[in-house]
Amino acid sequence: MARTIELGRAAVTGAAGFIGSHLTVALQRLGCQTVFLWSSAAAPGQEPPQGGLSCHDVDIMDYVALARIFGEERPRVVFHLAGVRGRGGERRRFRECVDVNVAGTVRVLEAALKAGVERIVIMGSAEEYGDQPGPQRETLPARPCTLYGVTKAAATDIARLMHAEAGCPVVVLRPYTVYGPGQPSEMFVAEAVECAVRGTPFKMSEGLQKRDFVFVEDVVDALIKAATMPGIEGEVINLGSGQATALREVAALIWEISKTKAPLEIGARAASEGELVDTWADVSKAASVLGWSARIDLRAGLERTVAEAKKR
């Protein structure tokens, strides 16, 4: 019988990012000795994460450095959260996404495997499913229609192959639309909350497209469960609420919660090119394999997000 993995010491790539910063706080509350990996070059001006056992400024493409860090720090678990959505000119965007999301993931897996890490949890994406109708189950074939989705699907395939051929102890989580305090302002909920709290107009599309929103603390809970649950290596698991909500309804809820007088301009701009129509997760596997389900509903999560934004 497979034994439960003890967190003990854990390494987190992308530790200064949105999900990573919430995860590192949770790990330290659990008494975990946490090793932070972040890149000052990838995030200029971003402050390094604080409070861990150690912090390493490292390029995710540098296998030698990764192998040295994992070899010296000896983490039992690696959470690989570093990734990019790809911005800028076309050539740069394609190269960056392939380099970081695919090749960078392979380097993390290889370095962790060499160091004898017991569990590696990596972040996939709901965009791996593409524009397939929901609820989307993990048994669906990957049909990504965005660059980010294509590179995440490629990383998932390679990770599962490394598990099958080399025993790489990897688990892939596919989060849907994650939101919560501290999210970058270019994301929909974060931008809407910022406008509502600051009293500035929020211009959005018609907002008919639906998303499965999941609060960041629920995602962190799933990450920790995936790191410690025995016998789930090689699995791909959706993380969502199991409900799809139209963006216009989410914006209206933010306006209601914040009691803002700012203009909410629905239909003032076109939907982003290549944007998926709807996303909706089947979360039955997360419940059966991880014993996980989202605990924080959309209203409660937005209330907390708005309250934190008002403090800044």
Side-chain angles (χ1 to χ4, degrees):
M1 181 177 177
R3 64 181 179 83
T4 300
I5 296 170
E6 299 293 334
L7 278 175
R9 183 176 295 202
V12 182
T13 75
F18 169 49
I19 298 175
S21 60
H22 284 269
L23 174 62
T24 55
V25 169
L27 290 173
Q28 290 175 86
R29 285 176 179 166
L30 290 172
C32 181
Q33 295 179 311
T34 312
V35 178
F36 300 152
L37 282 74
W38 76 298
S39 172
S40 59
Q46 188 179 63
E47 291 295 319
Q50 302 293 322
L53 180 68
S54 60
C55 182
H56 300 268
D57 186 349
V58 60
D59 184 346
I60 206 72
M61 296 294 292
D62 190 341
Y63 168 77
V64 173
L66 290 171
R68 175 184 56 77
I69 292 166
F70 291 155
E72 292 174 353
E73 298 284 5
R74 310 303 297 179
R76 285 187 173 181
V77 173
V78 170
F79 296 94
H80 177 44
L81 309 184
V84 294
R85 297 199 66 85
R87 306 191 188 283
E90 286 299 304
R91 290 182 64 184
R92 176 186 172 187
R93 187 167 65 94
F94 278 83
R95 183 174 63 249
E96 182 181 45
C97 273
V98 172
D99 284 351
V100 176
N101 297 343
V102 184
T105 297
V106 172
R107 283 164 172 77
V108 169
L109 293 174
E110 289 178 333
L113 188 60
K114 180 181 179 182
V117 171
E118 296 179 43
R119 176 66 53 82
I120 312 158
V121 183
I122 69 173
M123 275 297 194
S125 170
E127 290 189 33
E128 295 177 51
Y129 295 117
D131 195 11
Q132 299 185 74
Q136 296 161 333
R137 302 191 68 176
E138 293 88 349
T139 52
L140 282 174
R143 292 178 183 167
C145 51
T146 64
L147 175 58
Y148 182 70
V150 166
T151 55
K152 283 294 188 177
T156 294
D157 285 344
I158 294 171
R160 298 187 79 188
L161 183 63
M162 290 178 67
H163 166 68
E165 293 193 353
C168 186
V170 64
V171 177
V172 182
L173 300 183
R174 281 180 178 159
Y176 278 65
T177 304
V178 187
Y179 72 100
Q183 188 174 36
S185 59
E186 66 265 19
M187 304 305 290
F188 177 81
V189 168
E191 184 183 357
V193 167
E194 183 71 14
C195 288
V197 169
R198 303 303 166 214
T200 57
F202 181 57
K203 300 178 185 293
M204 61 174 288
S205 70
E206 290 292 344
L208 300 176
Q209 63 271 43
K210 295 180 178 180
R211 296 288 179 268
D212 188 333
F213 289 90
V214 57
F215 193 63
V216 64
E217 288 185 11
D218 281 328
V219 173
V220 166
D221 181 46
L223 281 161
I224 293 170
K225 288 182 182 296
T228 56
M229 190 67 64
I232 62 170
E233 293 85 354
E235 298 286 356
V236 176
I237 305 167
N238 290 340
L239 301 181
S241 69
Q243 299 179 350
T245 306
L247 296 187
R248 65 192 299 146
E249 295 177 23
V250 176
L253 189 53
I254 291 169
W255 254 242
E256 176 191 333
I257 291 167
S258 65
K259 298 180 171 57
T260 184
K261 301 300 183 183
L264 174 56
E265 300 181 16
I266 296 176
R269 68 186 188 193
S272 301
E273 185 178 350
E275 191 173 63
L276 305 181
V277 177
D278 295 326
T279 61
W280 179 16
D282 183 313
V283 292
S284 56
K285 185 173 181 179
S288 62
V289 172
L290 294 181
W292 176 91
S293 61
R295 298 175 294 105
I296 302 168
D297 66 26
L298 184 58
R299 172 177 280 277
L302 289 175
E303 286 174 347
R304 291 176 59 177
T305 304
V306 169
E308 286 298 320
K310 287 181 174 181
K311 294 177 182 178
R312 299 200 300 270

